[in-house]
């Protein structure tokens, strides 16, 4: 960038608008020359308050003043400065009014608005400052809404100052140009707000550090010598809390004085000494006689000086005189008993004060004094020796708390801070989950944990990063030099972890920056912004939230450029050898992330970029490709998210919407979601309203959903003629044949279903779609359980498909369930249970609930085959409940009937009869399997209850329906039940015939175990 050019930067700022009340009337009354004089004095009154608090006047708009805080560098207390500046301006204008009233007959007052948020700041060297963004508009609107003499602040400002000021909410404001009502608060005073009491919350994880403070105090008392301890730590890590706890446990004879350095204001050099004197309270009178007159006068002068007015006694004392007075004070206090002097926030101290503190240890002799210096690590840049151990000096830095310590701390905070908040009210499980989330997101920083906990509890899971944390981290970032900030912004674009090579790529994209990456990385490590990673040449942000803040405050056009550069680098390496498939998938994931993010950022800030359409297409294809991979491996939540994000990038009319509708529909259905599949089809129809193939496949999918959910009878016949007119629509034909297969399964025609799936498979292979092919192969394998295909052939098919899916546990799951059922039917119960155990592990690992339910159902069959009927009943009921929850009511009702059969096998006839009555009363559609089972069981119960005629009618209806199915095991099960019903009704001939036919069907399938049970029943029922 050329010298003198404007440098736009994205920043968090606080904007103040101050406006004179009644200026129009004033202009009408006063001569223009007098008006100019009055306004000049008004501007001086306002700007003095703004400048004293570190603000910058951005512009004057008539008699309104706009000021900004956070420029050129942000401070964590910018919001508080802004509110104090507005209050100072208000007070000084009122003082001016009091001066003007007697002589000019003029009364002046103002109203103020304060807002915080992101803005683009353009600072041209030697020219005006410009702040652009909605934060400016909001501050102006708040000022307009404020009453005479009022200060209104926005939501973010209120959050940042509520511990230091008293606020009262006002009703949400409808402001001009704002689409939603704005939350606002009225500042009622600058007294501290109702802060939190830390006392009930124990100090966690700092035993070693507080032990070092105790040891240093003990040495100072024992040796009657000055000891110095320097406590370092990043903002919020708990430095002040540590020292406060240490001070509270000191014996009664110890004197404690505390002074805190400030980052702004007039006369701040010795302000900590003033606070130390003030903290003595009544003890000051007792100490004064022990001081020389000059020292006492100097200290009194410092304490009574007011920089806004004329100098008073003591203000003219020189540096040496002030240093001598402080030493005298410390010595006088220490002679009365041990003295602990705490200097807080020394990273903001002026060099003169640091020199004074540096000399104290050398000056103080033969007195028990402990000097505690508390600062952030950046203090070591000015005083590197303070971080080193010496004869009478110690130093340590507070590190982040570990995971266990953070979890304990957040639990304590939640119990104390939020006993009645939503953290408990959501539900009993929400509290622990929220605590774990906060603990994991806080980077081991106690203050961050407290702020995150309160924000999430108040605003919910989607709450943004608390503005107080943003201000703390932003202030640290603004103290970096330009080169360090440039490197950090590029690193944040890469991610929480980054490599030297990746940084080099982004620096090469901007050679004019001239960055010495290695030197700058070294400096960032020394300032605790980054640390070395585990892998060679890798680095990571010291705090996750720091990375997030850096990224958010980097200009979006730069982020877009850098994300695209990273994507191009990954794409360029795509042909290189990859050590593992996991690494390849990770690389694809990074490519997708960078492409999508670059696309979204370009849309926001450069919507007219001619390269945007090509970038959008590239990003969408990457998302869809990764989403389809996730669907292959049955990572359903990831598949849905990726596919929907890819769909949302694509413009209306793009042909890919047709395929995406099918994929998202499949993923939603596999997750048991009732609404998402329909929503996906609705979106596709909106995006491709005039595409005939799209309309057709959406209609086919709607019929498929009707079959799956059992909401209504489905029909596929209208589609056959439509597809015949378009023989090349492989995807349409593929999905139509799949629908056919599902309908044939519902009818119990499993041979026809198998043929339809093979037709679908041929279309999938013609289409070249591996996802469709794998899905259909899995379906064919599942059908082997019920089709006329003999068990041996079914098991052989399982072996072949298992080999294809051996690296993909999700695709392997239905194959394992099928294999287990076939093994159990063949009599290999132990092997079947082992296969089911493996399926359960896979389903649990992959969180595939429907697959787990399928395994549960087969486990029920296994237990039934070995006459463990009570266990089988319980398993069938659990599986039925799972299917009901997933919206699959038809198969759920069938499993409930299987549970009734197990009741009968246990001899619990009355319970079985009541269950059948309940199921009939509940209504609802049944599959052919369910209808047959209901008829056979009803005939059996009727016969046992003496209703022989009813039993015969039911048996006849079952025989009629039985002709429709070609499932050998279903036929065998129904015929076995009918044999029992006939025997109970005294019809021995039909009973024997039904048993014989059942054995024949079982033999055709090779189902040895159920055939053995029928043979055993036949032997038991044979007359002796």
């Amino acid at each position: 960038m050329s010298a003198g050019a404007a440098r736009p930067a994205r920043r968090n700022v606080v904007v103040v608008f101050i406006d004179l009340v009644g200026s129009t009337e004033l202009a009408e009354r006063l001569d223009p020359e007098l008006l100019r004089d009055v306004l000049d004095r008004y501007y001086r009154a306002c700007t003095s308050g703004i400048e004293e608090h570190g603000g910058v006047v951005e512009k004057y708009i008539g008699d309104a003043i706009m000021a900004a805080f956070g420029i050129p560098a942000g401070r964590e207390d910018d919001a508080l400065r802004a509110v104090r500046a507005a209050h100072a301006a208000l007070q000084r204008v009122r003082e001016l009014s009091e001066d003007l009233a007697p002589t000019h007959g003029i009364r002046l007052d103002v109203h103020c608005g304060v807002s915080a948020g992101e803005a683009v700041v353009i600072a041209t060297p030697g020219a005006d400052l410009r702040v652009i963004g909605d934060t400016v508009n909001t501050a102006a609107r708040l000022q307009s809404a404020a009453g005479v003499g009022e200060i209104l602040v926005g939501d973010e400002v209120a959050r940042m100052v509520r511990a230091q000021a008293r606020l009262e909410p006002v009703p949400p404001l409808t402001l001009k140009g704002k689409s939603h009502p704005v939350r606002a608060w009225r500042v009622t005073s600058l007294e501290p707000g109702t802060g939190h009491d830390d006392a009930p919350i124990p100090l966690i994880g700092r035993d070693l550090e507080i032990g070092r403070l105790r040891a240093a105090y003990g040495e100072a008392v024992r040796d009657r010598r000055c000891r110095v301890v320097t406590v370092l730590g990043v903002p919020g890590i708990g430095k002040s809390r540590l020292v406060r706890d240490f001070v509270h446990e000191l014996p009664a004879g110890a004197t404690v004085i505390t002074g805190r350095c400030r980052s702004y204001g007039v006369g701040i050099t010795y302000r900590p000494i003033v606070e130390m004197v003030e903290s003595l309270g009544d003890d000051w009178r007792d100490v004064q006689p022990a001081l020389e007159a000059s020292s006492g006068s100097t200290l009194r002068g410092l304490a009574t000086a007011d920089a806004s007015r004329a100098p008073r006694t003591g203000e003219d004392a020189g540096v040496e005189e002030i240093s001598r007075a402080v030493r005298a004070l410390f010595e006088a206090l220490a002679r009365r008993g041990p003295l602990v002097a705490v200097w807080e926030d020394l990273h903001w101290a002026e060099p003169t004060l640091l020199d004074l503190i540096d000399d104290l240890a050398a000056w103080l002799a033969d007195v028990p004094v402990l000097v505690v210096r508390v600062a952030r690590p950046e203090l070591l840049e000015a005083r590197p020796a303070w971080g080193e151990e010496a004869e009478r000096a110690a130093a340590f830095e507070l590190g982040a708390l570990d995971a266990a310590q953070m979890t304990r701390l957040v639990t304590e905070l939640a119990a104390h801070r939020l006993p009645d908040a939503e953290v408990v009210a959501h539900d009993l499980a929400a509290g622990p989950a929220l605590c774990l989330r906060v603990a994991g997101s806080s980077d081991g920083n106690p203050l961050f944990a407290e702020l995150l906990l309160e924000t999430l509890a108040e605003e919910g899971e989607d709450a943004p990063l608390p503005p107080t944390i943003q201000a703390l981290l932003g202030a640290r970032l603004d103290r970096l030099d330009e080169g360090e900030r440039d490197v950090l912004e590029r690193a944040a674009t890469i991610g929480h972890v980054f490599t030297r090579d990746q940084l080099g790529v982004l620096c090469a994209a901007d050679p004019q920056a001239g960055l010495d990456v290695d030197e700058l990385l070294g400096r960032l490590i020394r300032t605790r912004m980054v640390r070395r990673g585990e892998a060679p040449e890798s680095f990571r942000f010291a705090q996750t939230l720091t990375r997030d803040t850096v990224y958010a405050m980097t200009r979006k056009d730069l982020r877009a450029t850098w994300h695209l550069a990273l994507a191009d680098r990954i794409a360029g390496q795509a042909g290189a050898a990859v050590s593992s498939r996991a690494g390849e998938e990770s690389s694809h994931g990074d490519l997708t992330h960078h492409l999508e993010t670059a696309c979204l950022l370009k849309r926001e800030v450069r919507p007219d970029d001619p390269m945007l359409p090509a970038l959008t297409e590239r990003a969408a294809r990457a998302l869809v490709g990764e989403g389809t991979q996730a669907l292959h491996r049955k990572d359903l939540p990831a598949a849905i998210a990726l596919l929907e994000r890819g769909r949302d990038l694509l413009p209306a009319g793009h042909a890919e919407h047709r395929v995406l509708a099918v994929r998202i529909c499949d993923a939603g259905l596999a997750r048991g979601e009732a609404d998402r599949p329909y929503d996906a089809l609705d979106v596709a129809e909106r995006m491709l309203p005039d595409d005939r193939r799209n309309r057709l496949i959406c209609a086919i999918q709607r019929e498929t959903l009707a079959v799956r959910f059992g909401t209504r009878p489905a029909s596929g016949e209208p589609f056959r003629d439509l597809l015949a007119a378009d023989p090349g629509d492989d995807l349409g034909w593929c999905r139509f044949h799949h629908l056919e297969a599902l309908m044939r399964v519902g009818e119990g025609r499993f041979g026809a279903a198998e043929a339809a799936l093979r037709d679908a498979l041929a279309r999938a292979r013609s289409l070249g779609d591996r996802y469709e092919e794998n899905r259909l192969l899995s379906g064919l394998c599942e059908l082997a359980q019920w089709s006329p295909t003999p068990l041996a052939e079914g098991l052989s098919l399982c072996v072949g498909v298992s080999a294809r899916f051996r690296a993909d546990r999700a695709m392997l799951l239905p194959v394992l369930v099928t294999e287990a059922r076939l093994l159990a039917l063949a009599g290999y119960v132990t092997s079947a249970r082992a296969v089911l155990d493996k399926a359960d592990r896979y389903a649990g690992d992959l969180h595939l609930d429907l697959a787990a339910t399928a395994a549960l159902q087969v486990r029920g069959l296994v237990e039934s085959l070995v006459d463990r009927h009570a266990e089988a009943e319980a398993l069938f009921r659990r599986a039925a409940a799972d299917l009901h929850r997933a919206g699959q009511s038809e198969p759920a009702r069938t499993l409930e009937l299987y549970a009734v059969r197990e009741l009968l096998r246990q001899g619990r006839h009355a319970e079985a009869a009541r269950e059948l009555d309940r199921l009939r009363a509940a209504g609802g559609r049944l599959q052919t399997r369910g209808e047959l089972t209901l008829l056979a069981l009803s005939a059996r119960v009727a016969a046992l209850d003496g209703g022989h005629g009813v039993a015969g009618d039911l048996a006849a209806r079952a025989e009629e329906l039985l002709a429709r199915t070609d499932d050998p095991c279903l036929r065998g099960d129904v015929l076995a039940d009918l044999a029992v019903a006939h025997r109970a009704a005294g019809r021995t001939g039909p009973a024997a015939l039904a048993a014989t036919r059942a054995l024949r069907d079982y033999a055709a399938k090779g189902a040895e175990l159920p055939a053995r049970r029928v043979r055993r029943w036949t032997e038991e029922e044979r007359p002796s």
Side-chain angles (χ1 to χ4, degrees):
M1 183 173 292
S2 61
R7 294 180 60 86
R10 193 178 187 91
R11 310 185 59 81
N12 278 320
V13 297
V14 185
V15 176
V16 179
F17 264 83
I18 304 171
D19 192 21
L20 190 62
V21 176
S23 58
T24 303
E25 180 188 354
L26 197 65
E28 184 180 18
R29 288 176 49 208
L30 301 183
D31 182 85
E33 292 185 28
L34 177 57
L35 177 64
R36 188 196 68 177
D37 179 63
V38 170
L39 289 178
D40 283 347
R41 294 171 70 180
Y42 154 71
Y43 291 139
R44 284 197 298 274
C46 292
T47 55
S48 64
I50 291 167
E51 290 169 355
E52 284 171 15
H53 289 82
V56 179
V57 175
E58 200 257 15
K59 59 187 168 187
Y60 299 96
I61 311 168
D63 50 15
I65 300 170
M66 173 185 162
F69 291 76
I71 301 169
R75 307 276 185 165
E76 55 258 47
D77 58 350
D78 278 330
L80 182 60
R81 293 164 180 253
V83 171
R84 285 177 171 167
H87 188 266
L90 190 152
Q91 293 302 113
R92 291 177 189 181
V93 169
R94 286 178 175 172
E95 291 171 4
L96 174 62
S97 179
E98 292 300 318
D99 291 342
L100 293 172
T103 56
H104 296 67
I106 295 171
R107 290 286 181 183
L108 303 179
D109 213 333
V110 295
H111 51 161
C112 311
V114 187
S115 179
E118 290 185 6
V120 170
V121 177
I122 303 174
T124 305
D128 291 336
L129 173 75
R130 283 193 294 155
V131 182
I132 302 168
D134 185 57
T135 303
V136 177
N137 301 328
T138 302
R141 300 305 181 206
L142 287 170
Q143 169 256 301
S144 298
V148 176
E150 284 187 349
I151 304 171
L152 288 184
V153 303
D155 193 20
E156 290 206 342
V157 174
R159 290 180 179 279
M160 290 190 278
V161 305
R162 60 187 176 187
Q164 293 90 9
R166 294 192 181 275
L167 310 172
E168 63 179 25
V170 299
L173 301 173
T174 302
L175 302 180
K176 182 180 178 182
K178 305 293 288 185
S179 57
H180 299 288
V182 173
R183 297 172 67 187
W185 281 259
R186 181 184 297 109
V187 179
T188 59
S189 80
L190 291 183
E191 298 174 2
T194 53
H196 295 306
D197 177 17
D198 282 332
I201 300 171
L203 185 66
I204 294 172
R206 302 301 186 197
D207 294 343
L208 178 62
E209 293 86 351
I210 205 167
R212 296 192 69 177
L213 287 171
R214 291 169 183 156
Y217 175 77
E219 291 171 12
V221 173
R222 184 191 66 222
D223 301 338
R224 295 191 62 79
R225 297 186 67 186
C226 178
R227 290 278 296 162
V228 178
V229 178
T230 303
V231 181
L232 301 169
V234 297
I237 204 67
K239 305 181 294 296
S240 297
R241 171 65 195 278
L242 172 76
V243 173
R244 188 165 71 248
D245 276 31
F246 161 68
V247 164
H248 284 169
E249 68 178 30
L250 291 173
T255 299
V256 178
I257 55 176
T258 301
R260 184 181 299 276
C261 300
R262 296 189 180 182
S263 61
Y264 69 95
V266 178
I268 60 173
T269 300
Y270 295 115
R271 180 64 194 172
I273 298 172
V274 173
E275 290 185 2
M276 285 181 168
V277 172
E278 291 173 345
S279 70
L280 288 170
D282 294 339
D283 289 345
W284 170 245
R285 289 195 300 270
D286 300 333
V287 173
Q288 284 189 78
L291 300 174
E292 293 181 2
S294 60
S295 295
S297 177
T298 297
L299 293 172
R300 283 195 304 274
L302 288 174
T304 57
D306 184 344
S308 67
R309 300 187 183 275
R312 298 179 182 177
T313 304
E315 281 195 289
D316 294 331
V319 170
E320 294 299 330
E321 189 65 31
I322 294 172
S323 297
R324 182 172 177 275
V326 173
R327 182 181 70 178
L329 173 65
F330 277 35
E331 287 176 337
L333 290 170
R335 288 192 187 100
R336 303 192 320 160
L339 171 67
V340 176
V342 180
W343 304 88
E344 289 268 18
D345 293 334
L346 282 174
H347 46 276
W348 283 329
E350 296 292 324
T352 302
L353 182 64
L354 295 178
D355 289 340
L356 184 155
I357 297 170
D358 227 351
D359 292 338
L360 273 176
W363 289 343
L364 296 171
D366 302 324
V367 286
V369 178
L370 174 62
V371 176
V372 182
R373 305 183 296 208
V374 184
R376 297 177 186 171
E378 48 261 38
L379 175 68
L380 298 183
E381 296 175 20
R383 290 289 192 274
W386 285 20
E388 300 170 359
E389 300 282 340
E391 181 186 355
R392 291 192 293 158
F396 58 83
E397 182 172 348
L398 295 185
L401 298 180
D402 63 29
Q405 292 165 343
M406 282 301 294
T407 301
R408 182 185 167 202
L409 172 66
V410 175
T411 302
E412 295 274 1
L413 284 169
H416 178 57
R417 301 272 196 269
L418 311 166
D420 302 317
E422 290 96 0
V423 69
V424 176
H426 287 317
D427 56 63
L428 291 177
L434 181 59
C435 288
L436 286 173
R437 177 183 171 188
V438 170
S441 302
S442 302
D443 292 325
N445 188 302
L447 176 62
F448 291 0
E450 180 177 353
L451 296 171
L452 280 170
L453 182 68
E454 291 185 352
T455 301
L456 291 172
E458 290 174 7
E459 299 190 27
E461 293 185 0
D462 297 328
L465 187 68
T468 313
I469 296 180
Q470 289 185 349
L472 278 168
L473 296 175
R476 287 195 75 202
L477 297 172
D478 282 345
R479 285 191 286 275
L480 301 174
D481 68 26
E482 191 171 314
E484 292 168 340
R485 181 68 178 257
D486 282 349
V487 167
L488 215 55
E489 288 179 348
R490 287 168 168 82
T493 303
I494 298 166
H496 297 290
V497 179
F498 56 94
T499 67
R500 172 65 180 79
D501 182 43
Q502 290 169 322
L503 268 182
V505 170
L506 296 190
C507 291
D510 184 12
Q512 292 183 350
L515 300 175
D516 185 341
V517 175
D518 294 317
E519 165 63 21
L520 293 167
L521 278 173
R523 281 152 55 181
L524 290 169
I525 290 172
R526 289 193 294 275
T527 56
R528 286 34 170 210
M529 287 292 180
V530 302
R531 62 174 183 260
R532 295 192 180 277
E534 296 176 2
E537 293 293 301
S538 74
F539 303 85
R540 62 188 310 120
F541 279 82
Q543 292 180 303
T544 303
L545 296 177
T546 299
R547 181 266 168 187
D548 295 342
T549 302
V550 174
Y551 185 77
M553 300 316 300
T554 303
R555 280 171 31 206
K556 290 186 176 180
D557 59 336
L558 290 177
R559 283 188 253 161
T561 300
W562 293 338
H563 279 296
L564 189 54
L566 291 166
D568 289 340
R569 174 182 180 271
I570 294 169
Q573 295 175 332
V578 184
S579 59
S580 67
R581 181 177 176 184
E584 185 179 358
E585 289 177 354
S586 174
S587 175
H588 288 321
D590 290 342
L591 173 65
T592 301
H593 161 70
H594 291 303
L595 284 173
E596 180 188 19
T597 307
C599 178
L600 293 174
L601 290 169
K602 283 278 189 186
R603 282 186 173 184
E604 289 187 56
V605 298
R606 295 285 186 272
D608 57 347
D609 190 326
M611 302 300 293
L612 184 56
L615 175 59
T616 300
E617 177 81 15
R618 188 179 170 195
R621 288 196 178 280
L623 284 164
V624 171
E626 192 175 342
T628 301
Q629 283 185 352
L631 191 55
H632 270 294
R633 61 179 180 264
K634 291 295 190 292
D635 183 358
L636 300 175
I640 290 170
L642 289 162
L643 293 171
E644 288 184 344
R645 280 157 50 195
R647 178 192 66 190
D648 294 343
L649 285 183
L650 291 172
H654 198 288
E656 194 72 11
H657 281 296
R658 182 180 187 231
V659 175
L660 283 169
V662 172
R663 298 284 189 271
I664 297 169
C665 189
D666 287 352
L669 190 61
R671 287 204 78 194
E673 298 182 15
D675 295 331
R676 191 181 298 273
Y678 290 105
D679 291 342
L681 299 175
D682 290 342
V683 171
E685 288 170 336
R686 287 198 304 272
M687 292 294 144
L688 288 169
D690 301 321
D691 187 294
R692 188 186 61 80
R693 283 186 172 182
N694 182 66
R695 290 197 305 272
L696 180 58
I697 204 158
C698 286
I700 291 170
Q701 285 300 113
R702 290 185 190 281
E703 292 301 306
T704 299
L705 294 175
V707 174
R708 290 288 199 187
F709 292 126
T711 54
R712 58 179 173 80
S715 173
E717 285 310 310
F719 304 127
R720 189 180 294 277
D721 293 338
L722 292 171
L723 286 165
D726 188 6
D729 183 5
D730 286 324
L731 182 59
W733 277 106
C734 181
R735 288 290 167 150
F736 166 70
H737 288 311
H738 183 242
L739 171 62
E740 271 192 315
L742 290 174
M743 290 191 298
R744 300 296 89 81
V745 166
E747 296 165 0
R749 297 168 56 195
F750 294 96
E754 193 173 62
L757 276 188
R758 293 193 183 280
D759 289 340
L761 183 61
R763 286 288 183 169
R765 285 170 174 160
S766 175
L767 190 62
D769 190 325
R770 188 171 177 83
Y771 165 75
E772 293 287 336
E773 187 178 347
N774 285 346
R775 192 175 64 87
L776 293 166
L777 276 172
S778 181
L780 272 172
C781 190
E782 285 186 86
L783 269 183
Q785 300 174 72
W786 309 293
S787 71
T789 301
L791 287 183
E793 291 182 30
L795 287 169
S796 177
L797 178 62
C798 287
V799 170
V801 176
S802 293
R804 181 185 178 102
F805 296 156
R806 63 178 174 273
D808 189 338
R809 293 188 298 169
M811 294 299 295
L812 195 57
L813 261 170
V815 182
L816 292 175
V817 172
T818 297
E819 182 181 4
R821 187 171 191 269
L822 297 179
L823 286 169
L825 290 170
Y828 304 109
V829 173
T830 302
S831 298
R833 284 175 171 157
V835 173
L836 285 173
D837 289 342
K838 182 189 292 187
D840 282 338
R841 286 197 306 276
Y842 289 1
D845 290 346
L846 302 174
H847 305 290
L848 297 176
D849 295 338
L850 286 178
T853 301
L856 197 65
Q857 175 183 345
V858 173
R859 202 175 284 280
L861 170 71
V862 173
E863 298 307 308
S864 177
L865 287 172
V866 294
D867 297 326
R868 290 166 52 88
H869 300 299
E871 290 81 357
E873 177 204 349
L875 290 165
F876 286 137
R877 291 192 189 281
R878 282 174 54 197
D882 288 347
L883 289 176
H884 275 304
R885 282 192 293 271
Q888 299 196 18
S889 299
E890 287 189 29
R893 294 186 190 101
T894 300
L895 291 182
E896 288 176 318
L897 288 166
Y898 285 3
V900 172
R901 177 183 280 147
E902 299 306 316
L903 286 174
L904 287 171
R905 288 172 175 169
Q906 296 172 65
R908 296 158 63 185
H909 301 148
E911 290 178 58
R914 286 195 297 272
E915 276 291 291
L916 288 174
D917 289 341
R918 182 187 66 80
L919 290 169
R920 279 191 290 263
R925 289 171 49 79
L926 284 171
Q927 300 170 308
T928 297
R929 175 183 301 275
E931 287 186 62
L932 276 166
T933 305
L934 176 61
L935 287 170
L937 295 178
S938 298
R940 188 169 168 178
V941 168
L944 290 169
D945 290 341
H948 298 165
V950 172
D953 292 340
L954 290 168
R957 285 164 55 191
E959 287 277 8
E960 181 181 347
L961 186 59
L962 197 62
R964 302 180 190 175
T965 183
D966 56 1
D967 177 351
C969 289
L970 173 61
R971 290 177 57 82
D973 292 344
V974 169
L975 287 167
D977 282 327
L978 292 179
V980 175
H982 286 312
R983 175 71 70 185
R987 293 191 289 270
T988 56
L993 179 59
T996 300
R997 291 169 59 199
L999 288 171
R1000 188 162 56 242
D1001 284 321
Y1002 286 140
K1005 184 69 176 177
E1008 173 57 29
L1009 217 51
R1012 191 180 303 167
R1013 180 162 54 199
V1014 172
R1015 285 194 293 270
R1016 187 172 64 243
W1017 177 83
T1018 303
E1019 291 294 326
E1020 292 170 355
E1021 294 298 320
R1022 183 176 299 161
S1024 56

